[in-house]
């Protein structure tokens, strides 16, 4: 089953449209409430604070073929669960809410004092109490996992083993932009290493932001897929890497036979993407990027596999007693 915020559903119940596995409907980014407090800055605001607006935008996405949206936020990103419930109830689009922690800079201070097992206990408990359907986005702020980030990845892997919920991650890949030190190309593989070491199975893991690694030969993406995990092209339309390069990478992955490992989403969090502001809206993964794939010769049925079937397989789990 797939655990949406309002009810558990059989995967067949979401077959009518695309399932976007990593968007944001409620978030403060990049400044969170806690970070602002620490820096003595004013409390941050974000367009998603306007829940009525997000209901409207989500309803539009439903009309454009989206059946379900996974929200990639959690408390340390100021994700508001009550807001997500309202959006799900009033937009007609199913919403999956997530648990976990984002990255070192957003961790609450107590993370440093806890063991991976203690954190895992809490993740399992919170997921149950709050009816969460995934762990994500679980990230790292730089190219290497810090000791606490490694601990959180271990904790999430352990929580997955106990609760069954799928995991999606965040990588710090910077596309064609140079940073010092550079983000190692293998960062995606190191995340998978830690999650697997904690007992998580690759078929329940989506390695995120692989579409922000400038890797025309899709060397890293192929290694992620070969190990059985999902490859997240989950920042489509965000120009960290041009979408044209992403399309070429996807064509290569399809040619290599990895259609069942691909997941698409747009990491929605920028105001100019809103319909209200003349942007493409929450369905941009279909209406903008999906169209580019079709124009590049990808078959409609292949796109359907990637947008509708793969994410349902990723999200589905057998609840533990
Ligand atoms: Zn991210
Ligand atoms: Zn995100």
């Amino acid at each position: 089953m797939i655990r949406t915020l309002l009810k558990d559903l059989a995967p067949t119940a979401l077959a009518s449209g695309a399932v976007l596995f990593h968007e944001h409907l409620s978030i403060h980014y990049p400044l969170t409430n806690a970070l602002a407090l620490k820096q003595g800055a004013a409390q941050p605001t974000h367009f998603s604070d306007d829940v009525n607006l997000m209901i409207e935008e989500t309803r539009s996405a439903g009309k454009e073929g989206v059946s379900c949206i996974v929200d990639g936020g959690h408390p340390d990103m100021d994700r508001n669960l009550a807001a997500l419930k309202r959006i799900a109830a009033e937009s007609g689009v199913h919403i999956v809410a997530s648990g976990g922690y984002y990255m070192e800079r957003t961790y609450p201070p107590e993370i440093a004092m806890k063991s991976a097992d203690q954190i895992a206990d809490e993740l399992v408990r919170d997921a149950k109490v709050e009816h969460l359907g995934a762990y994500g986005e679980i990230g790292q702020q730089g190219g290497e996992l810090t000791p606490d980030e490694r601990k959180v990845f271990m904790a999430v892997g352990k929580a997955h083993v106990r609760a069954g919920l799928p995991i999606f991650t965040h990588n710090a890949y910077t596309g064609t932009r140079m940073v010092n030190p550079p983000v190692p190309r293998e960062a995606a593989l190191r995340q998978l290493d830690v999650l697997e070491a904690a007992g998580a199975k690759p078929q329940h893991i989506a390695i995120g932001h692989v579409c922000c690694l400038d890797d025309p030969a899709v060397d890293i993406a192929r290694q992620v897929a070969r190990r059985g995990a999902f490859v997240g092209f989950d920042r489509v339309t965000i120009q960290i890497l041009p979408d044209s390069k992403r399309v070429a990478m996807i064509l290569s992955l399809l040619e290599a036979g990895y259609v069942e490992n691909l997941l698409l989403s747009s990491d929605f969090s920028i105001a100019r993407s809103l319909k209200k502001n003349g942007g493409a809206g929450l369905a941009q993964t279909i209406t903008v990027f999906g169209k580019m794939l079709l124009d590049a010769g990808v078959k409609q049925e292949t796109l359907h596999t990637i947008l509708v079937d793969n994410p349902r397989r990723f999200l589905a789990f057998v609840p533990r007693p």
Side-chain angles (χ1 to χ4, degrees):
M1 54 158 231
I2 292 171
R3 177 150 287 166
T4 77
L5 197 44
L6 299 184
K7 58 185 162 185
D8 291 340
L9 294 171
T12 49
L14 296 176
S16 63
V19 176
L20 303 175
F21 88 101
H22 184 153
E23 308 292 345
H24 295 282
L25 302 172
S26 169
I27 189 173
H28 284 155
Y29 178 85
L31 197 63
T32 63
N33 291 338
L35 284 168
L37 199 63
K38 205 154 74 181
Q39 295 170 13
Q43 288 292 289
T45 58
H46 184 264
F47 64 77
S48 61
D49 294 339
D50 182 348
V51 180
N52 289 329
L53 168 68
M54 296 314 293
I55 292 168
E56 203 45 54
E57 295 279 335
T58 305
R59 191 181 288 138
S60 293
K63 287 183 190 143
E64 290 177 301
V66 174
S67 68
C68 178
I69 295 175
V70 181
D71 185 276
H74 22 68
D76 71 350
M77 302 163 87
D78 299 339
R79 182 278 323 272
N80 179 334
L81 214 49
L84 292 188
K85 279 184 189 158
R86 262 197 69 203
I87 297 167
E90 296 180 38
S91 71
V93 173
H94 297 289
I95 291 176
V96 172
S98 310
Y101 296 95
Y102 185 32
M103 57 177 64
E104 175 100 30
R105 71 182 173 87
T106 68
Y107 291 165
E110 57 271 22
I111 285 290
M113 324 301 291
K114 289 176 182 162
S115 69
D117 283 315
Q118 283 173 309
I119 297 167
D121 285 345
E122 292 169 5
L123 289 171
V124 170
R125 187 196 61 209
D126 292 351
K128 193 174 171 151
V129 171
E130 297 174 340
H131 217 250
L132 308 179
Y135 292 120
E137 62 179 299
I138 310 302
Q140 59 187 88
Q141 59 197 38
E144 310 277 353
L145 289 166
T146 67
D148 275 352
E149 285 171 346
R150 178 174 298 274
K151 181 168 73 178
V152 167
F153 267 77
M154 284 298 291
V156 169
K158 285 166 179 268
H160 156 81
V161 170
R162 285 164 54 191
L165 303 187
I167 301 165
F168 58 100
T169 74
H170 159 107
N171 269 287
Y173 292 132
T174 57
T176 46
R177 185 168 59 89
M178 292 296 174
V179 289
N180 196 8
V183 176
R185 290 161 47 81
E186 295 77 16
L189 304 172
R190 300 293 81 83
Q191 292 186 341
L192 196 48
D193 292 345
V194 180
L195 293 171
E196 287 195 83
K201 293 283 177 279
Q203 63 265 34
H204 302 292
I205 300 169
I207 300 297
H209 306 349
V210 178
C211 61
C212 291
L213 174 64
D214 191 13
D215 182 19
V218 287
D219 171 44
I220 298 299
R222 275 188 289 127
Q223 290 190 58
V224 170
R226 197 179 307 135
R227 287 168 66 172
F230 288 95
V231 179
F233 274 65
D234 48 7
R235 281 186 146 173
V236 303
T237 77
I238 299 180
Q239 297 301 314
I240 296 170
L241 199 67
D243 275 338
S244 56
K245 284 198 170 208
R246 294 179 173 136
V247 169
M249 286 163 74
I250 286 182
L251 293 179
S252 297
L253 287 169
L254 291 175
E255 196 156 317
Y258 291 121
V259 60
E260 300 205 332
N261 298 86
L262 278 166
L263 290 176
L264 299 182
S265 212
S266 77
D267 204 2
F268 195 86
S269 57
I270 304 167
R272 68 169 178 274
S273 305
L274 291 164
K275 287 257 177 188
K276 181 190 127 184
N277 296 339
L282 270 160
Q284 57 194 352
T285 300
I286 311 171
T287 58
V288 178
F289 193 75
K291 185 173 180 311
M292 287 180 76
L293 288 175
L294 294 174
D295 290 346
V298 173
K299 291 199 181 74
Q300 184 70 54
E301 64 188 84
T302 303
L303 187 59
H304 187 276
T305 300
I306 298 170
L307 284 174
V308 183
D309 298 337
N310 290 353
R312 289 186 296 142
R313 199 170 73 255
F314 165 62
L315 290 173
F317 70 102
V318 179
R320 309 292 193 265

